[in-house]
Amino acid sequence: MKTINDIDFKGKKAIIRVDFNVPLDENFKVTDPTRIEAAKPTIVKILADGGAVILMSHLGRPKGVEEKYSLKHILKTISSTISVEVKFASNCVGEIAEKASSELKMGEVLLLENLRFHKEEEAGDETFSKQLASLGDIYVNDAFGTAHRAHASTTIVANYFPKNKCFGSLLAQEIISLKKILEEGEKPVLAILGGSKVSSKITIIENILDKVDHLIIGGGMSFTFIKALGGKIGDSICEDDKQELALEILTKAKEKGVQVHIPVDVIAADDFNNNANTKVCNINEIPDGWQGLDAGPKSRELFDKIVKQSKTILWNGPVGVFEMENFAGGTIALGNSIASATKNGAFSLVGGGDSVAAVKQFGFEDKVSYVSTGGGAMLESLEGKVLPGIEAILK
Ligand code: AMP
């Protein structure tokens, strides 16, 4: 795996695909610069080598050129994050971009305008990719968030750098973290899958059954399993048409020697509402009119025990409706268990959508080993897919 550490960038212009798709407020101010900060190590290394940096990214989902999605809004935040004045090219290809690139001196940084102002970006257009490629000497991909897309800047452009291409440090870290879970995980390996639907996680479950020793199925997903096993789940969320699949998963897990843990009790509510009345119920004895919205005390204890005996932990999906304060307790307890296991030497990776939001919201970000920066890319990796953006660098 070739990374920026294997290349001396002295005298070279590196064109880097970053993921600067950051949230902006109504005054076009960056409200969360995490993604910009995440690209800093790659930019700093290239500049320190004596190279120049050309940054390319998308922002939002513009339909053609739309001022509100211009990357010029984030120029200042990038400059202050990397402590270097960043130049701007108001187009990512064509004369403007070519002139800006040719005038760029070593030690300088140039930001190109939003890639998605051109429909050719998402179409993976060859000519557009070639135009982008002409701007730099070396291609660096540091955008995990878009690595599952075969777009011009994430994948096709790499073809024009048969030898001069590599992973940025962020993308390399993502790949290494995933490898630590899916290929090289120290046993016992545990995957915790939560969230609302079995259907959205089924391919992940099938793929990871070969990789893990323990599987915790939590959150809304667990009710489909409980109902399939003959339990009474009241009004809890359930995918009736997936019950058979749930039983098949349990059989497969048994055949593969994977121990599956499903919550034993829940905090049930008489409404999907933070102020609803609540009571603790066994998960298979939830009365009609009540729905399980969080892991109960015995389930939290069970999760804690399994987490603390694991050496490798993957967490995807909350185990309750954590967006409502009164049903966040199970997810917070689980975060605490994972933090404690991590402190004691376990490797923990949190990735894919809502669990990342939960980890950030409850302050566990620095207490787990790694928090992935890619939602869809993470989910597709867990499904066992080779992401086109990663493959393009490897081949
Ligand atoms: P997903 O996008 O499939 O990972 O699901 C995340 C969502 O699952 C979050 O918005 C949670 O509120 C929701 N969720 C977790 N547990 C439950 C539950 N017991 N009932 C309903 N929704 C849940």
Side-chain angles (χ1 to χ4, degrees):
M1 188 171 89
K2 198 166 167 186
T3 75
I4 48 165
N5 296 324
D6 303 312
I7 295 180
D8 182 1
F9 288 87
K10 190 171 187 340
K12 304 282 183 200
K13 281 177 193 162
I15 182 158
I16 317 178
R17 178 47 157 110
V18 286
D19 181 5
F20 285 175
N21 185 27
V22 290
L24 303 176
D25 67 15
E26 62 281 6
N27 298 314
F28 302 108
K29 274 224 153 91
V30 177
T31 55
D32 180 0
T34 308
R35 286 177 169 166
I36 296 172
E37 286 160 3
K40 185 176 171 180
T42 296
I43 300 170
V44 166
K45 143 78 180 160
I46 293 168
L47 295 179
D49 273 4
V53 165
I54 301 171
L55 299 167
M56 56 176 173
S57 178
H58 76 285
L59 176 67
R61 295 182 171 181
K63 294 182 180 68
V65 179
E66 280 189 76
E67 167 77 12
K68 64 175 174 177
Y69 294 115
S70 172
L71 280 171
K72 71 176 185 220
H73 301 308
I74 70 169
L75 202 56
K76 269 197 190 141
T77 309
I78 305 173
S79 296
S80 64
T81 303
I82 62 172
S83 306
V84 175
E85 201 59 39
V86 179
K87 296 174 185 299
F88 184 66
S90 59
N91 198 347
C92 62
V93 289
E95 262 176 46
I96 291 174
E98 282 158 22
K99 185 164 179 283
S101 164
S102 69
E103 287 172 357
L104 193 69
K105 297 189 189 73
M106 294 305 133
E108 292 185 337
V109 180
L110 169 70
L111 173 70
L112 303 178
E113 181 56 288
N114 197 337
L115 293 156
R116 291 195 188 167
F117 281 0
H118 298 261
K119 63 179 185 326
E120 290 83 358
E121 159 65 358
E122 288 181 86
D125 183 79
E126 286 287 348
T127 311
F128 180 75
S129 304
K130 203 172 169 182
Q131 281 180 299
L132 290 173
S134 73
L135 304 174
D137 305 310
I138 300 172
Y139 171 66
V140 180
N141 192 348
D142 208 18
F144 184 60
T146 47
H148 59 314
R149 307 283 186 215
H151 294 169
S153 69
T154 64
T155 303
I156 316 301
V157 70
N159 297 337
Y160 296 94
F161 299 89
K163 292 215 172 71
N164 294 323
K165 57 185 172 183
C166 68
F167 294 109
S169 72
L170 173 69
L171 185 44
Q173 238 181 314
E174 294 275 357
I175 296 169
I176 291 166
S177 301
L178 269 162
K179 219 172 178 185
K180 276 193 192 167
I181 298 278
L182 297 177
E183 291 173 35
E184 300 162 354
E186 190 185 340
K187 283 175 170 287
V189 181
L190 162 68
I192 305 158
L193 296 182
S196 53
K197 288 183 175 171
V198 182
S199 52
S200 61
K201 303 277 161 90
I202 185 67
T203 325
I204 296 180
I205 299 180
E206 282 173 348
N207 183 45
I208 60 171
L209 279 183
D210 286 321
K211 331 261 183 206
V212 303
D213 305 295
H214 292 269
L215 173 63
I216 290 177
I217 293 177
M221 254 170 61
S222 54
F223 299 107
T224 303
F225 286 83
I226 295 295
K227 189 167 178 187
L229 290 166
K232 213 173 156 304
I233 60 164
D235 295 353
S236 305
I237 187 171
C238 180
E239 288 172 284
D240 281 333
D241 61 333
K242 295 289 177 289
Q243 287 187 57
E244 212 165 299
L245 197 61
L247 294 178
E248 276 171 30
I249 289 170
L250 294 178
T251 308
K252 260 192 208 161
K254 205 167 192 182
E255 284 166 8
K256 291 178 191 283
V258 178
Q259 289 188 49
V260 179
H261 310 275
I262 303 178
V264 286
D265 62 352
V266 293
I267 310 281
D270 62 357
D271 191 16
F272 190 80
N273 179 332
N274 191 45
N275 300 317
N277 295 307
T278 61
K279 61 181 177 183
V280 174
C281 297
N282 287 332
I283 196 164
N284 53 3
E285 292 174 334
I286 305 174
D288 289 340
W290 293 77
Q291 51 188 304
L293 293 186
D294 197 8
K298 284 185 200 148
S299 305
R300 296 178 197 186
E301 247 174 67
L302 171 71
F303 296 166
D304 184 64
K305 194 178 110 207
I306 309 298
V307 165
K308 285 186 179 156
Q309 70 189 32
S310 300
K311 285 273 170 246
T312 305
I313 303 160
L314 165 73
W315 182 17
N316 171 270
V319 294
V321 185
F322 75 99
E323 298 93 334
M324 296 186 207
E325 198 186 344
N326 290 336
F327 305 105
T331 300
I332 294 173
L334 179 61
N336 276 321
S337 304
I338 297 174
S340 159
T342 309
K343 205 171 170 193
N344 288 326
F347 176 80
S348 55
L349 168 64
V350 183
D354 280 325
S355 37
V356 173
V359 157
K360 287 186 178 173
Q361 187 177 328
F362 303 126
F364 292 120
E365 228 175 339
D366 299 328
K367 296 178 181 162
V368 296
S369 308
Y370 193 70
V371 181
S372 176
T373 57
M378 178 71 185
L379 295 178
E380 289 196 20
S381 301
L382 295 176
E383 287 174 354
K385 290 184 190 150
V386 180
L387 310 186
I390 291 176
E391 201 177 20
I393 299 282
L394 293 174
K395 80 178 178 199

